[in-house]
Amino acid sequence: MKIVFLENTARDIQWFRYYYTSVFPEGSERARAQLKAIQLTLAANPYAGHPSDARRDIRELSVPRTPFTLIYRVTPTQIEILRLWDTRQGVDY
């Protein structure tokens, strides 16, 4: 299934890139690989993530070995990524 990052994820992606280039460059290569791998998993298994506690139509899937989680919803035609959430920030989506 097609994965689409919605506009409001732009800030999250910028933070992910900044974090792994400036704050923790040693983990950059692994984090990018983990994000790519979890997208492949999600495309093949749209319901791989667990339902959000906040909203039942939203799902969450952790990016392994990172503090980031994909917040997404499944539509009939695509998987919409709502946030690439840094879980150290608390819940606000």
Side-chain angles (χ1 to χ4, degrees):
M1 187 172 269
K2 180 180 177 183
I3 295 178
V4 176
F5 282 78
L6 299 184
E7 264 186 60
N8 57 338
T9 62
R11 248 182 322 137
D12 299 335
I13 293 167
Q14 286 175 339
W15 169 244
F16 181 89
R17 287 180 181 152
Y18 173 80
Y19 180 77
Y20 283 109
T21 57
S22 300
V23 178
F24 185 48
E26 304 83 27
S28 181
E29 190 175 319
R30 175 181 263 173
R32 283 193 316 259
Q34 291 292 344
L35 181 57
K36 194 173 272 191
I38 205 68
Q39 288 178 68
L40 292 173
T41 298
L42 187 58
N45 304 292
Y47 293 96
H50 64 83
S52 168
D53 291 336
R55 292 180 42 192
R56 299 299 289 167
D57 62 328
I58 304 294
R59 303 185 76 79
E60 302 176 10
L61 185 59
S62 296
V63 180
R65 298 186 184 114
T66 76
F68 292 88
T69 296
L70 288 175
I71 309 298
Y72 69 97
R73 68 178 161 230
V74 179
T75 72
T77 59
Q78 63 191 15
I79 298 165
E80 297 176 340
I81 306 298
L82 307 171
R83 300 295 306 261
L84 175 56
W85 188 251
D86 184 341
T87 59
R88 297 169 295 183
Q89 297 176 7
V91 176
D92 183 27
Y93 54 84

